[in-house]
C-alpha cells in the first residue's frame, strides 16, 4: 500500500517559480519570490498532513483535517490526488473526503462525484462525499444531487472526469443505462436539496413518494419538501395524510402544519383531540408548535419532563428551535433531577444543558455550575459552553480548574468559555495555555484571547504564527488582526454560521449515526410499515467477523417505540446543530 506522502510528493516538483517579468520592480520581484517560497512551504505542509490522515488515532485524523482546511487552497490538490488514487484504507479516504467538504473548493467536485457514485466504496464514504458536494452550494452540485434524489443515475455518470478532459460521445441512439441509488444515499440527497431550498426538488421527491415498500424514503421526501415551506405543495402534503405508515403520515402533517395557513393548523388541532400518544401525534404537535399553538407547546413541555420517554430529548430540541422560553422552568427541573438521581435516558442532561445555555437562561447558572463540576465529560463540555454564553463570572474558578486539570476537549470548551465571559484579569492564565503541548488547547487559547479583546497579548499570540499546526497559526493570525483593529478577518466565522452549511453538517452526522444504529438500513421502511416483530440481532462472538467499518445496517426495529428511541439520540433540532452523541 503506497503512502499518501508518496502520492502527493510529485506536486512539489510542479510548483511554479515566480514569474519575473522584466518590467517588475525590485520590490515586486522580492514579493513574488516570497509568495513562491511560502506556497512551496505550504505544499510541503499539506503533503505531511495528508500523510497524517493515515494515523490510527481519531484525534490525529481530526487535527489533520483541521490543518488541511487551514492550508487551503494548497491542500486541495494533494487531497484530490489521494482520493483519486484509492491506494489507502477506506477510513483514510473518508477523512480526505471530509477535509474536502470542509474546504469547499469546486476544483474537487469531480473526485467527490467519483467517490459518491463508486459502489466499491463503503457507504459512509459515499455519504460523506455526497454531503461534501452539497456543501459547495452551487448549481452543478444541485444538479448532481437531483440525480441521486431521483433514485437512478446514468451509467455514464459513474465515470466522472477531471477538469479539462472530455467525455467520449456515444454513437447512435442507444438508450442510456441507469443504475439504482442506495436508499440511504437517496434520502441524504433529498434532504440536502431541501435544506438548501432547491426549487427543482419536487420531481425527485414525488418519485420517492411513489415507493410503496420504502416508508423511510417517503418520510425523508416529506421532510425535505417541508423545508421549502411552499404553499403550492399543500395538496401533496394532504395526500400524505393517507399514507399507510404512521410516521410518514406524521411527517406529511408536520410539513403541512409548517406550510399551510391558520385553517390547516385548526384542522390538525381538531384531529389531535382523538389521537393517542404516538410518533405520528408527536409530529403533528411539532408542526402546531411551529405556528405558535400554545396547546402544542404545552404538550411538548410535558413530554420533555417525562422520564424515560423516547421523545424527551426531541421535544426539548423542538422547544429550543422555536425559542419557547416558557419551557425553561421544565428544563431546569429535568436537569436538577438528572444531576441528583441520573434517572433519565442517556443524552438528556446534555440536551437540557445545551438548551438552557442557548436560550441564555441566567436563572439556570447554579444548575449549570453543578453540571460543570458533577456531570459526565460530555455534559461538562456543554456546561462550559453554556456558562460562556451566559458570561457567568461565578463559573470562572471552576473553568480555570478544568483548564489546568481537565480532559483535552473539556479544557478546550473551558478556554473558549473564559473568552466569552470576557474578564481581562484572566489574560495571563489564558496566555500560558498558548504554550500547551496539545494543539486544540493552543487553538482554544487563541480564540479566547481574541474574544477577550486584550491587545497586550499580541506578542504572545505572535509566537504561534510559526506553530507546527497550521490551524493554530491561522487562528493566531486572525486573533492578532482582530486585536489590532483590522477589518475583514471574521469572514470564516460568518461562513460557518451560514444556515445551509450548518444544516448540511448536521445532516452528515445524523445519517452516519442512523447508519450506525441501523434505523436507516434497507429493511427499516418495510419493518415500520408492516410493524414487523423481529427477533433481536444475534450477539457477535469473539470469532465472528466485524461488520463493515465497525457499522451494521441489518437491524430491524420491532416497533415504533424503538425507532423513536434512536430518533431522540440522533436529533439535530431540525438541522440547526449536529446531533448529541
Amino acid at each position: 500500500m503506497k503512502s499518501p506522502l508518496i502520492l502527493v510528493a510529485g506536486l512539489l516538483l510542479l510548483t511554479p517559480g515566480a514569474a519575473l517579468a522584466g518590467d517588475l520592480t525590485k520590490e515586486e520581484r522580492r514579493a513574488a519570490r516570497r509568495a513562491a517560497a511560502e506556497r512551496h512551504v505550504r505544499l510541503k505542509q499539506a503533503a505531511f498532513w495528508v500523510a497524517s490522515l493515515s494515523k490510527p488515532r481519531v484525534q490525529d485524523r481530526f487535527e489533520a483535517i483541521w490543518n488541511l482546511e487551514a492550508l487551503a487552497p494548497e491542500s486541495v490538490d494533494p487531497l484530490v490526488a489521494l482520493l483519486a488514487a484509492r491506494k489507502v484504507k477506506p477510513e483514510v479516504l473518508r477523512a480526505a473526503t471530509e477535509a474536502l467538504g470542509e474546504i469547499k473548493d469546486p476544483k474537487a467536485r469531480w473526485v467527490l462525484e467519483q467517490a459518491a457514485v463508486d459502489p466499491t466504496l463503503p457507504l459512509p464514504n459515499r455519504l460523506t462525499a455526497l454531503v461534501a458536494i452539497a456543501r459547495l452550494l452551487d448549481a452543478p452540485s444541485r444538479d448532481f444531487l437531483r440525480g441521486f434524489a431521483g433514485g437512478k443515475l446514468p451509467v455514464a455518470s459513474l465515470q466522472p472526469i477531471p477538469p479539462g478532459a472530455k467525455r467520449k460521445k456515444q454513437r447512435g441512439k442507444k438508450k442510456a443505462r441507469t443504475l439504482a441509488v442506495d436508499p440511504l444515499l437517496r434520502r441524504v440527497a433529498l434532504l440536502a436539496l431541501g435544506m438548501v431550498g432547491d426549487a427543482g426538488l419536487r420531481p425527485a421527491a414525488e418519485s420517492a413518494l411513489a415507493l410503496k415498500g420504502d416508508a423511510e424514503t417517503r418520510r425523508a421526501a416529506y421532510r425535505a419538501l417541508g423545508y421549502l415551506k411552499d404553499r403550492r405543495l399543500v395538496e401533496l402534503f394532504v395526500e400524505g395524510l393517507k399514507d399507510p405508515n404512521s410516521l410518514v403520515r406524521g411527517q406529511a402533517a408536520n410539513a403541512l402544519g409548517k406550510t399551510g395557513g391558520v385553517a390547516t393548523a385548526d384542522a390538525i388541532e381538531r384531529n389531535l383531540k382523538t389521537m393517542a400518544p404516538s410518533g405520528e401525534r408527536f409530529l403533528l404537535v411539532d408542526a402546531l408548535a411551529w405556528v405558535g399553538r400554545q396547546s402544542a407547546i404545552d404538550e411538548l413541555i410535558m413530554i420533555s419532563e417525562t422520564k424515560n420517554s423516547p421523545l424527551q430529548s426531541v421535544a426539548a430540541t423542538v422547544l429550543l428551535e422555536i425559542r419557547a422560553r416558557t419551557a425553561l422552568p421544565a428544563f431546569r427541573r429535568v436537569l436538577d433531577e438528572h444531576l441528583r438521581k441520573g434517572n433519565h435516558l442517556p443524552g438528556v442532561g446534555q440536551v437540557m444543558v445545551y438548551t438552557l445555555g442557548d436560550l441564555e437562561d441566567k436563572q439556570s447558572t447554579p444548575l449549570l455550575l453543578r453540571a460543570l463540576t458533577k456531570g459526565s465529560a460530555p455534559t461538562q463540555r456543554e456546561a462550559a459552553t453554556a456558562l460562556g454564553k451566559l458570561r457567568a463570572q461565578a463559573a470562572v474558578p471552576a473553568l480555570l480548574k478544568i483548564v489546568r486539570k481537565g480532559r483535552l476537549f473539556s479544557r478546550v470548551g473551558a478556554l473558549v468559555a473564559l473568552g466569552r465571559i470576557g474578564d481581562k484579569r484572566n489574560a495571563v492564565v489564558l496566555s500560558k495555555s498558548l504554550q500547551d503541548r496539545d494543539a486544540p488547547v493552543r487553538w482554544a487559547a487563541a480564540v479566547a484571547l481574541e474574544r477577550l479583546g486584550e491587545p497586550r497579548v499580541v506578542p504572545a499570540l505572535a509566537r504561534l504564527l510559526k506553530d507546527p499546526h497550521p490551524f493554530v497559526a491561522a487562528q493566531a493570525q486572525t486573533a492578532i488582526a482582530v486585536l489590532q483593529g483590522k477589518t475583514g478577518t471574521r469572514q470564516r466565522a460568518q461562513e460557518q454560521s451560514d444556515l445551509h452549511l450548518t444544516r448540511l453538517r448536521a445532516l452528515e452526522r445524523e445519517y452516519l449515526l442512523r447508519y450506525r444504529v441501523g434505523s436507516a438500513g434497507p429493511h427499516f421502511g418495510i419493518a415500520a410499515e408492516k410493524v414487523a416483530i423481529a427477533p433481536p440481532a444475534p450477539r457477535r462472538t469473539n470469532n465472528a467477523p466485524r461488520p463493515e467499518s465497525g457499522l451494521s445496517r441489518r437491524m430491524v426495529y420491532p416497533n415504533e417505540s424503538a425507532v423513536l428511541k434512536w430518533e431522540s439520540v440522533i436529533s439535530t433540532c431540525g438541522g440547526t446543530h449536529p446531533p448529541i452523541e
Side-chain angles (χ1 to χ4, degrees), residues 173-191:
K173 296 183 178 181
K174 293 182 180 179
K175 186 177 179 180
R177 292 187 300 143
T178 59
L179 186 73
V181 174
D182 185 280
L184 182 140
L185 296 178
R186 185 175 188 179
R187 294 163 204 155
V188 170
L190 285 164
L191 288 167

Side-chain angles (χ1 to χ4, degrees), residues 18-19 35 142 160 200 345 355 370 406 436 472 475 502 517 535 569 574:
R142 289 193 291 273
L345 290 175
T355 53
R370 277 172 52 200
D436 196 271
V472 177
Q475 176 54 44
T502 303
V517 302
V569 175

Side-chain angles (χ1 to χ4, degrees), residues 88-151:
V88 291
K89 294 178 180 179
E91 56 266 30
V92 179
L93 291 176
R94 190 159 80 81
T97 306
E98 192 173 334
L100 288 170
E102 292 294 334
I103 293 168
K104 298 178 285 293
D105 191 321
K107 283 199 306 182
R109 184 193 314 281
W110 72 273
V111 78
L112 291 172
E113 290 180 356
Q114 189 180 66
V117 301
D118 188 348
T120 65
L121 283 178
L123 205 60
N125 289 53
R126 299 174 66 192
L127 188 157
T128 302
L130 199 61
V131 175
I133 293 165
R135 293 179 71 185
L136 295 175
L137 298 178
D138 57 12
S141 68
R142 289 193 291 273
D143 289 341
F144 185 80
L145 287 168
R146 287 187 201 118
F148 267 87

Side-chain angles (χ1 to χ4, degrees), residues 258-276:
K258 293 177 181 178
T259 305
V262 175
T264 302
D266 288 340
I268 292 174
E269 197 163 18
R270 285 193 297 272
N271 287 338
L272 279 178
K273 293 178 180 178
T274 59
M275 188 178 290

